[in-house]
Structures are given as structure tokens and as C-alpha cells.
Amino acid sequence: MKFLDVIRTAVHNSFRSKMRTALTVVAIFIGAFTLTITTAIGTGISSYIDNQLASVGSADVISIGKATEGDSTVDDGPARYDPDKATAASGFPGGATPPGLPVGALSDDDIASIRGTDGILDANPVVMVAPSYIEFDGNGKYELTVNPSAAVTKADLAAGSQLGGLDDTNELLLPASYLENLGFTNAESAEGRTVTIGSSTYQGEMKEVTATVVGIQNESLFGSGVGLGQQLTDALVDVQNTGKPRGAPVGYFAAVAHIGSDATQPEIDAIKADLEDQGFVGRTVADQIGTIQTVVNGIVGVLNAFAVIALIAAGFGIVNTLLMSVQERTREIGLMKAMGMSGGKIYALFSTEAVFIGFLGSAMGALVAIGVGSAISNVLSETLLSDLQGLDVLKFAPASVAGIVLVVMLIAFLAGTLPARRASKQNPIDALRYE
Amino acid sequence: MNTPILSAQGIRKSYGRGSARFDALRGVSLDVNAGESIAIVGKSGSGKSTLMHLLALLDIPDGGRISVNGTDATKLSVKQVNQLRNEDFGFVFQQFFLTPNASVLDNVVLPLEIAGVSSKERKARGMAVLKQLELDDKAKNKAINLSGGQKQRVVIARALVNNPRVIFADEPTGNLDTATGSLVEDILFSLNKEQGITLVIVTHDVELAARCDRQIYIRDGLEEGIDTTAGAAA
């Protein structure tokens, strides 16, 4: 029997008992549908994070904090009191330690020693500024959130340019979501306009600083909040420190250092090890995003595992379907063998039938998943997730969809081996006597 | 004399073991010459079907020797046996063994499909043999929708489509009424006379057996008339 005839006959045979084939196909369909959707979620979120990573860009930035020792107070009890550390920690400009961060402040001496580390080009302390409101053209005062990493990252811009382009200007990046409330009609109309920022002094007196909107950025994971240029930050720190008693200790919860943009991974690792020896912890942007990606991959992995379990269950459906089919077609198999069909070809016939059922279920599952998933993704990105511009929750990569179909066909083939073997081993005489 | 197309020498075959052991054949010898028609006659359970299965190389004897065209069957490879059954043998069974929901033509060309003949040639040869059996107008019908006589003609067409040298027929008229049965018999014997196809017919029908050139009577696994004492003892 020719290869094409084997396929044709197998396809034909699989449609003989339509109900049984249909039910098996449904089982595979569910597994393939789930697997396609979960994989698409993984692809969608990963590619979003990758895009964000690209927009964050600066691979040459490393953020540095104080390493904390003995932080497992459960076992060891509280750490010994260190007067330097404590006084520095109480001196964050603008307030107390940000919640969730390890208490370990960097002093000016620490910044100096970071600057002196091999491979570090420059280092600046991250200062916390907490301006009270933002206003444009008398349209009312609105609260604002500052994006602490704006100075060291590249924003995903809707209009305008990045921070740092203009000298002697209080530069400011405005998130797209602020436009309407402040009274701008669109992103372009806000570019180059002057806004007023209010901040209170150390003694609670309100002072205003003017700033120029240089760019408008899309909402994103790493770029929510208003981005402040270095000069504007300095101006706001000046306001905050107005009236602050002299000699009060100064501390920073983190510093941002630049390294050579062509630094290789081993070089970065060496710098990090060097920092660690001095009692600091350095984290690159990739390290921080890597954590998020690990979590996302973990979740997607669990979802995929469920889909694979569904597929394995469907595989037993194939075994069952084909065993019944072999039983029903005993005489037909015997006849074909009597007419000189080899056991190998009989095996191929039933295996092909299994693979075809697998193909049918997985192709339908994948196609429906793509259809439904794309629709859901579109709806979500216009409603629930509209704040995260550029996020397609479900992203269907042709290669991974093809991979899923192939994997399901492989599972189907494996499921088909047992019935196919049984069919190929049948003795034509016993089969022909069978009533 | 020419080499017989099929030859069996003292073949034995038993099924089961121990007390359940059943000796279907206890040493039967038989030569089938090319072009003759031979009837294997016996009652149900006499071992006549087993003898036909062994001659058609569908089964392997426990003892004795089967030769095809003078070649010992045990010396043939599995592939050669398959090819021999596919190209030189045709089978007609009492229970038809047609695929019910496939078309008449598809049923008839099954041996050609197994042989790997192209689809175009299969159709041409299938239609030719259906025309020969006056079934060409039923080619597209489903096999299940035919009458018993038509079904048996389809089975004969399927046996003929590979231009076999031997047709094995197991109770070819067993499921048919007398009139249809004799029609089917006429077809088989005309193939024997006109195309020189060797016929091996297994039957318990004495009238059908009488139409064959030669009759072999099987009783309790032995050929009757050669060893009657064994038969009487059993």
C-alpha cells in the first residue's frame, strides 16, 4: 500500500464512527486549546516585559543599596545597634525609609567609596522628593507621583523627547494619564508647556517651582508617575531642605551608578562582587526584570502543566477509541492481511489514524484558541488593561502554535502504538473466523 | 507431469493444548495442478477449512510440508508470502467480508490498493472486472445496500481483480439461495474454463463438489478412502 493511500484510508477510517472520533477530538481540542492559550499568555507577557526592558534600555545602570546583615531576626535575634547606620537612616531627604526597603542607608562616605570602585564611571545618590501638587495654567492642582527611576531609564514616549536633552531647564516627563486632568487636549499640545509644581519646605511652608514638559510617556510597568530631570530634582530637594537644621545626618536608600555601556556580563559580575565585598548590593536593570520574568515563567509553567495533563488524559481517549476500532475491524484487518498486507502497513494505518485524530483536535483547538484569544486580548487591552499601553495579554507565535500541534500529534502517535501493535499482530485466520 | 501449483505432504495441524487439544488435520496429502478445479468436501469440523487456510499460506502447519510451484513454503520470506497471496491468490468467503460503508468499487480494488497500484489504474481495472461480472452500474453503491448474490459477485470481483492464478472459495454459496447460488457457481466455473484459473473450493454441498474436476473428502482430519480405519476408530 502506498503512503498516500495509507493516509487516505486512515483519514477515511477515522470518520467511520463519527461520534466516537468527535468525542476524542473534543478531548484533545480542550487540551490543545488550553495549551495554546497559556503559551500565548506566556509569550504575550514575556514580549511585553522584553519591550519594557528595551524601553528601560540602559544596561549600563546599576542601582546600589546597602547590604543588610543579620536580617533573619527570627533565628539570631535583633542585630547589634550601629549608631552610624541608624542616624544615616533617619536622614532621608523628604522623610523616613520607604516601606519595604531594607533599612540600610548609604552615607556620603559610602557614595564616595562606590565612586571609587573599579568599573564604576559615576554614582549619584537617589534622592526622594515628594512634591505636593502639579498645576497647569490655573486648571486646578493635582496630586502627583514621582517616578524614582525616570532619570536613569528611557521612557516609552508618546510625544516629545527624553529627559536630559536640555541644559539649564527644569525638565519634566508627563505620563499620558495626567493630560486630561491638567487640561491638555492631547500629548502634542502638552509638549514644551510650562507647569507649576508645589512642594513643602522642611518646616511645612508651600513653595512652587516651574518646570517644562519635555515629553509625554505611555503608561508602562516601569514608567508610571512623573519623571523629573536632575535639575528639577535638585530644585525640589532645595525646597525640601529649606529650613532644615544644619548638621543633621544625610543618608540615601540607594545610589545609581553608571558603568561602561559595553561592559560584558563577567565584567558586570565582577563589579557586583566588588561592591558586595564593600558591603553594598548592586542590581542591574536586567536583574530586577529577571525577577519578574521568573515569576511570570513560573505561573505560565504551572498553567502549561495543567494543559499537558489534559492532553495526557486525551491520549488515553485515543487509546480507547482505537482499541475499540481494532476490535470492530478485526475481520477487516484479517482480510487485509490475507490479501497480503504486511503487519507494518497495518501498524502504519492505525498509527496514522491516531496521528490524524491528534492533528484534527490540536489544529481545531489552536485555531479556536487564536480566534477567541485574539478577541479577548483586544477587548482587554481596550478596557481592563488600557493603562498598560502596548500590552497584548495573548500573543500567538506561529512557531509555538505549530510546536503545540506537533507535540499533540506526537502524543497521539504514542497513544496509537498500543492499538496499532495489537492490530498488526493479529493472525488473519483468527480474525477471519471471528464472528 | 508438471509441478503442481500447490502441494501438501502429510500436513498436520492441531489447536489447543493438553486435554483441550484438538487435531484438526492428522496427516493430509494433496496436489493441486494448475488449471484444475478441486473440491475439498467434508462436514463442519472435519478440518476442510483448516486445510484450505494452510494451502493458502494463511497459517503454518505443525507438521508436513507445503510447496508452492515446487518451492517449500517455509523457505519463503514473510514478504514473499504476502506478495504471493496478494498477486497469485484470490479469496471468496461465505461471510463476504465486505466493508459495509465503502463503495463497491473501493471494496473490489482493495487487493490492488494493498499492492500499491496507482489510483487511476485501480479504477480502470476495478471497473473492468465489475463489468465482467455485470456489476459496473453498482460501482458507486455502498456494499451494504446490495443483495446477497450481488455481494458474492462483488467478492468474486475482488478475488479476480489481481488476475490471480488460484481462487480459494470457502462455502461460496453457503449464504445464498439455490438460484443465486448456482449463478455464482456458473461464474466460478466459467473463470476456471475460460481463464484457466485454478479453483480450490471448500464445501459441504455435494452437488457443488460434483461440478469440480476432482473431490477430496475430509473426515476427522484425514482424507477419506485413504485411511478409513483411523476415521472409524475416531
Side-chain angles (χ1 to χ4, degrees):
Chain A
M1 200 179 239
K2 281 185 181 166
F3 181 62
L4 267 178
D5 283 327
V6 170
I7 293 178
R8 194 182 53 80
T9 312
V11 169
H12 186 81
N13 285 346
S14 63
F15 285 117
R16 268 209 232 161
S17 62
K18 293 189 179 65
M19 186 71 171
R20 203 166 60 201
T21 303
L23 289 173
T24 314
V25 165
V26 166
I28 298 163
F29 174 92
I30 293 168
F33 179 86
T34 317
L35 195 57
T36 311
I37 292 279
T38 53
T39 311
I41 292 174
T43 314
I45 292 178
S46 291
S47 89
Y48 178 66
I49 290 173
D50 284 348
N51 283 344
Q52 296 294 320
L53 186 58
S55 79
V56 166
S58 320
D60 56 344
V61 172
I62 191 163
S63 68
I64 296 159
K66 190 91 170 174
T68 49
E69 315 116 64
D71 52 351
S72 69
T73 49
V74 179
D75 292 339
D76 303 335
R80 187 171 285 279
Y81 173 70
D82 177 353
D84 289 347
K85 201 163 117 183
T87 48
S90 66
F92 288 131
T97 313
L101 284 171
V103 186
L106 298 169
S107 63
D108 282 332
D109 287 350
D110 289 335
I111 302 290
S113 68
I114 291 169
R115 284 193 180 121
T117 306
D118 274 350
I120 302 265
L121 301 181
D122 66 357
N124 288 305
V126 174
V127 287
M128 293 288 288
V129 288
S132 306
Y133 63 83
I134 183 167
E135 181 179 24
F136 168 68
D137 204 17
N139 286 328
K141 294 170 178 170
Y142 292 92
E143 287 183 0
L144 75 161
T145 315
V146 174
N147 175 3
S149 57
V152 294
T153 57
K154 286 198 187 80
D156 180 15
L157 291 174
S161 55
Q162 302 285 351
L163 291 172
L166 303 166
D167 290 333
D168 297 331
T169 309
N170 285 343
E171 294 173 311
L172 179 138
L173 271 183
L174 211 52
S177 57
Y178 279 52
L179 293 172
E180 195 184 336
N181 285 2
L182 291 179
F184 296 111
T185 48
N186 57 36
E188 283 71 23
S189 72
E191 188 187 343
R193 308 302 284 269
T194 302
V195 294
T196 311
I197 293 174
S199 180
S200 63
T201 65
Y202 197 78
Q203 284 151 339
E205 190 187 343
M206 196 58 70
K207 285 202 169 183
E208 292 192 338
V209 176
T210 57
T212 306
V213 178
V214 292
I216 292 83
Q217 69 175 117
N218 288 321
E219 281 290 331
S220 76
L221 278 183
F222 308 105
S224 67
V226 177
L228 308 176
Q230 191 61 47
Q231 196 182 328
L232 179 55
T233 307
D234 292 345
L236 288 170
V237 169
D238 282 348
V239 170
Q240 284 178 174
N241 288 348
T242 305
K244 188 175 181 177
R246 270 171 193 277
V250 177
Y252 312 98
F253 76 88
V256 169
H258 284 85
I259 52 178
S261 56
D262 53 352
T264 59
Q265 193 58 44
E267 284 170 10
I268 293 171
D269 289 343
I271 293 170
K272 276 155 75 176
D274 201 353
L275 287 170
E276 208 167 307
D277 291 343
Q278 299 175 59
F280 305 117
V281 176
R283 280 161 68 82
T284 59
V285 174
D287 288 340
Q288 295 171 27
I289 288 164
T291 317
I292 298 175
Q293 250 168 343
T294 308
V295 172
V296 170
N297 287 344
I299 294 169
V300 169
V302 170
L303 292 175
N304 278 347
F306 282 122
V308 168
I309 289 170
L311 281 174
I312 291 171
F316 283 96
I318 295 182
V319 175
N320 197 18
T321 303
L322 285 180
L323 276 180
M324 284 170 77
S325 193
V326 169
Q327 188 78 10
E328 261 173 30
R329 304 217 290 263
T330 302
R331 290 205 305 196
E332 192 185 323
I333 295 163
L335 182 76
M336 288 200 283
K337 289 194 112 182
M339 287 176 171
M341 184 121 156
S342 66
K345 286 283 164 64
I346 301 266
Y347 185 94
L349 200 58
F350 279 87
S351 294
T352 311
E353 188 173 335
V355 170
F356 176 71
I357 290 174
F359 169 75
L360 215 58
S362 60
M364 280 163 62
L367 281 178
V368 173
I370 290 172
V372 172
S374 304
I376 290 176
S377 182
N378 284 343
V379 171
L380 279 182
S381 63
E382 279 163 23
T383 55
L384 266 177
L385 301 170
S386 57
D387 288 346
L388 293 174
Q389 281 140 356
L391 169 62
D392 290 318
V393 186
L394 295 155
K395 201 165 201 171
F396 299 95
S400 63
V401 171
I404 288 165
V405 172
L406 286 178
V407 164
V408 173
M409 284 167 76
L410 179 71
I411 291 174
F413 172 78
L414 292 177
T417 44
L418 176 72
R421 214 177 114 81
R422 180 172 286 193
S424 70
K425 292 270 172 202
Q426 248 167 22
N427 182 347
I429 292 301
D430 293 341
L432 289 174
R433 276 215 203 90
Y434 178 86
E435 289 291 332
Chain B
M1 195 182 161
N2 294 335
T3 318
I5 188 164
L6 294 168
S7 169
Q9 302 298 326
I11 53 171
R12 289 191 307 280
K13 181 77 187 175
S14 47
Y15 299 103
R17 280 188 187 174
S19 58
R21 184 182 155 104
F22 166 67
D23 295 315
L25 291 174
R26 299 188 291 165
V28 175
S29 298
L30 169 71
D31 281 346
V32 181
N33 294 312
E36 74 172 338
S37 59
I38 184 164
I40 301 172
V41 194
K43 287 181 184 161
S44 162
S46 61
K48 59 186 194 303
S49 289
T50 304
L51 178 59
M52 189 201 89
H53 293 152
L54 290 169
L55 284 173
L57 308 183
L58 288 170
D59 213 345
I60 297 161
D62 297 333
R65 217 168 70 99
I66 293 187
S67 314
V68 182
N69 282 326
T71 312
D72 190 339
T74 55
K75 295 212 167 66
L76 296 170
S77 69
V78 176
K79 202 178 166 188
Q80 282 172 315
V81 170
N82 279 337
Q83 198 180 352
L84 190 75
R85 282 209 304 265
N86 184 257
E87 292 175 2
D88 291 343
F89 295 172
F91 295 93
V92 176
F93 300 100
Q94 181 179 0
Q95 298 94 340
F96 311 134
F97 296 134
L98 293 170
T99 307
N101 285 315
S103 75
V104 166
L105 183 64
D106 284 346
N107 267 293
V108 167
V109 298
L110 183 61
L112 295 178
E113 198 181 334
I114 290 169
V117 173
S118 77
S119 151
K120 201 176 159 190
E121 194 186 336
R122 286 207 298 260
K123 197 177 172 193
R125 282 169 68 178
M127 286 312 290
V129 74
L130 280 174
K131 192 162 187 146
Q132 186 184 346
L133 293 168
E134 294 167 13
L135 279 169
D136 44 337
D137 55 328
K138 305 274 186 209
K140 296 226 186 307
N141 291 30
K142 279 187 177 179
I144 200 169
N145 296 330
L146 299 179
S147 70
Q150 285 170 331
K151 278 182 188 165
Q152 196 59 301
R153 270 148 69 202
V154 172
V155 173
I156 294 172
R158 184 176 64 192
L160 268 182
V161 76
N162 254 357
N163 294 324
R165 295 168 65 200
V166 187
I167 286 183
F168 293 93
D170 191 352
E171 303 281 13
T173 57
N175 264 351
L176 305 174
D177 60 66
T178 320
T180 337
S182 62
L183 191 76
V184 166
E185 284 173 24
D186 290 345
I187 295 169
L188 286 174
F189 285 108
S190 75
L191 291 171
N192 175 244
K193 300 276 180 309
E194 288 160 22
Q195 298 186 30
I197 295 174
T198 310
L199 278 185
V200 178
I201 298 176
V202 171
T203 186
H204 64 273
D205 179 350
V206 186
E207 282 176 47
L208 170 58
R211 288 184 69 174
C212 293
D213 298 338
R214 204 147 64 86
Q215 295 81 27
I216 309 284
Y217 292 90
I218 303 287
R219 187 188 170 100
D220 296 326
L222 287 170
E223 193 180 339
E224 257 186 320
I226 291 177
D227 191 352
T228 46
T229 50

